[in-house]
């Protein structure tokens, strides 16, 4: 069979920008809405075409507790003989209620054709906004970001694209190229650490550790 390699450009920053998560990060306060029927009805009728509209992505800002039943979801588990756990997207059934993002719920619905069994929801709504002032990355005014008008995640990626374009104009063996290449990598790390690293979910491993017996 044939296959095609596909990748995303700056996936984590893009998802953050599309969902408008900066509004949550800069909000003076956040309220939680728990209208299960509203979320379920929206997921029941979701289409790929609707998700191509940026306004739909703000509806993904929340989490759902579900009873998984042959739903396609990310699962952290041990997938090989290695003792380290990893995340795979696969069919999941469980009697134990589990929390997932609304984005995960929507993805499962589009793949399987059925909405997971939602038993609780927490939709996050930002209110107000803390004051911010413009700042320049690396102390360089060419890399100024004003959060009153700019989205941090999109801005950093746009700046990285600009730096990479500037680097291509330099001789690959020059100091100018080395500087710009290092700068674009720094911007990549900054974008990923702010859009993914600082917002990661930490799940403690509470399984009992095997004890060595005595003879």
């Amino acid at each position: 069979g044939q296959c095609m390699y596909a990748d995303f450009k700056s996936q984590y920053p893009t998802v953050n920008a599309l969902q408008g998560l900066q509004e949550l990060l800069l909000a003076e306060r956040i309220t939680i809405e728990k209208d299960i029927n509203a979320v379920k009805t929206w997921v029941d009728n979701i289409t790929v075409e609707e998700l191509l509209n940026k306004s739909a992505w703000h509806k993904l800002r929340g989490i759902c507790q579900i009873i998984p039943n042959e739903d396609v979801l990310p699962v952290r588990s041990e997938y090989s003989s290695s003792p380290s756990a990893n995340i795979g997207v696969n069919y999941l059934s469980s009697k134990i209620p589990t929390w997932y993002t609304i984005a995960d719920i929507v993805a499962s619905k589009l793949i399987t054709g059925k909405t997971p069994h939602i038993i609780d929801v927490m939709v996050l709504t930002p209110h107000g906004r803390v004051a911010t002032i413009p700042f320049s990355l690396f102390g360089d005014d060419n890399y100024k970001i004003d959060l009153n008008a700019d989205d941090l995640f999109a801005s950093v990626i746009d700046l990285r694209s600009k730096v990479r374009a500037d680097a291509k104009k330099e001789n690959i063996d020059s100091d100018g190229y080395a500087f710009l290449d290092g700068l674009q990598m720094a911007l990549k790390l900054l974008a990923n650490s702010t859009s993914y690293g600082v917002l990661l979910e930490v799940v403690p491993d509470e399984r009992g550790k095997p004890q060595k017996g005595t003879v």
Side-chain angles (χ1 to χ4, degrees), residues 103-122:
D104 289 325
I105 302 303
V106 167
S108 180
K109 166 60 168 59
L110 293 175
I111 294 171
T112 67
K114 71 180 182 70
T115 300
H117 180 196
I118 301 173
I119 60 175
D120 197 3
V121 301
M122 290 195 293

Side-chain angles (χ1 to χ4, degrees), residues 66-75 90-98 100 108 114:
I66 66 170
I67 304 293
N69 180 23
E70 288 297 301
D71 302 304
V72 177
L73 298 161
V75 180
N90 37 241
Y91 283 94
L92 176 65
S93 293
S94 174
K95 296 181 180 179
I96 301 174
T98 309
Y100 278 97
S108 180
K114 71 180 182 70

Side-chain angles (χ1 to χ4, degrees), residues 16 72 130 150 154 205:
N16 277 260
V72 177
V130 299
D150 305 325
D205 185 352

Side-chain angles (χ1 to χ4, degrees), residues 22-23 26-29 127-132 146-150:
Q22 179 168 289
E23 295 178 8
L26 296 180
E28 291 182 328
R29 63 188 181 90
H127 301 276
R129 187 182 183 283
V130 299
T132 58
D146 182 359
L147 297 182
N148 293 300
D150 305 325

Side-chain angles (χ1 to χ4, degrees), residues 47-213:
T47 62
V48 172
E49 288 72 24
E50 183 175 358
L51 291 174
L52 294 177
N53 187 332
K54 291 182 179 180
S55 63
W57 283 67
H58 282 208
K59 296 180 180 180
L60 300 175
R61 300 190 299 201
I63 57 177
C64 295
Q65 189 179 41
I66 66 170
I67 304 293
N69 180 23
E70 288 297 301
D71 302 304
V72 177
L73 298 161
V75 180
R76 183 179 296 277
S77 183
E78 295 176 3
Y79 288 92
S80 66
S81 57
S82 171
S84 61
N86 210 329
I87 295 178
V89 179
N90 37 241
Y91 283 94
L92 176 65
S93 293
S94 174
K95 296 181 180 179
I96 301 174
T98 309
W99 288 96
Y100 278 97
T101 66
I102 296 177
D104 289 325
I105 302 303
V106 167
S108 180
K109 166 60 168 59
L110 293 175
I111 294 171
T112 67
K114 71 180 182 70
T115 300
H117 180 196
I118 301 173
I119 60 175
D120 197 3
V121 301
M122 290 195 293
V123 177
L124 307 178
T125 302
H127 301 276
R129 187 182 183 283
V130 299
T132 58
I133 59 175
F135 60 93
S136 298
L137 293 174
F138 315 112
D140 189 334
D141 286 343
N142 290 316
Y143 309 121
K144 179 173 287 186
I145 296 177
D146 182 359
L147 297 182
N148 293 300
D150 305 325
D151 180 274
L152 174 65
F153 309 107
S155 296
V156 173
I157 291 305
D158 288 342
L159 287 175
R160 184 191 179 212
S161 296
K162 178 180 181 302
V163 171
R164 293 181 74 182
D166 290 342
K168 290 181 179 179
K169 301 174 184 177
E170 301 283 338
N171 186 304
I172 195 171
D173 296 319
S174 68
D175 291 340
Y177 178 88
F179 171 78
L180 292 172
D181 186 54
L183 186 58
Q184 68 86 16
M185 180 57 67
L187 289 167
K188 176 181 180 179
L189 294 174
L190 176 63
N192 287 334
S193 62
T194 53
S195 63
Y196 176 73
V198 297
L199 302 176
L200 62 83
E201 176 189 12
V202 178
V203 181
D205 185 352
E206 297 177 341
R207 296 171 298 175
K209 301 298 182 181
Q211 301 296 316
K212 293 183 178 180

